[in-house]
Amino acid sequence: LVYFPSASSVTVDLTGISKGNQRVRVSWLNTLNGSIQHGCVQDLPAGTATYTLPSGWEDGLLILQGVRS
């Protein structure tokens, strides 16, 4: 979980997620209205990945979940 208090980008170290997982599910929680924007399941990048708060959001929570293929 990564909290974005304002519009910004964050680089996340995915080493901990990669243990036993080959893919990552990316979702966003809009903290103003409680809605979840489900993203895609993608191949797990090696090392780090950069994520940006969705356009028009004041703040939000990035949810990353490891997925086994």
Side-chain angles (χ1 to χ4, degrees):
L1 299 173
V2 180
Y3 176 65
F4 287 70
S6 61
S8 60
S9 295
V10 171
T11 300
V12 178
D13 180 355
L14 298 172
T15 305
I17 293 175
S18 66
K19 294 180 181 176
N21 300 302
Q22 293 137 1
R23 300 175 65 92
V24 64
R25 180 186 326 274
V26 180
S27 302
W28 290 91
L29 171 67
N30 185 325
T31 58
L32 293 179
N33 63 23
S35 67
I36 294 180
Q37 178 181 339
H38 295 286
C40 60
V41 174
Q42 60 192 34
D43 290 337
L44 192 62
T48 63
T50 301
Y51 298 94
T52 302
L53 187 68
S55 179
W57 289 28
E58 292 182 27
D59 70 339
L61 186 65
L62 171 65
I63 304 166
L64 300 172
Q65 297 172 297
V67 176
R68 294 184 181 165
S69 292

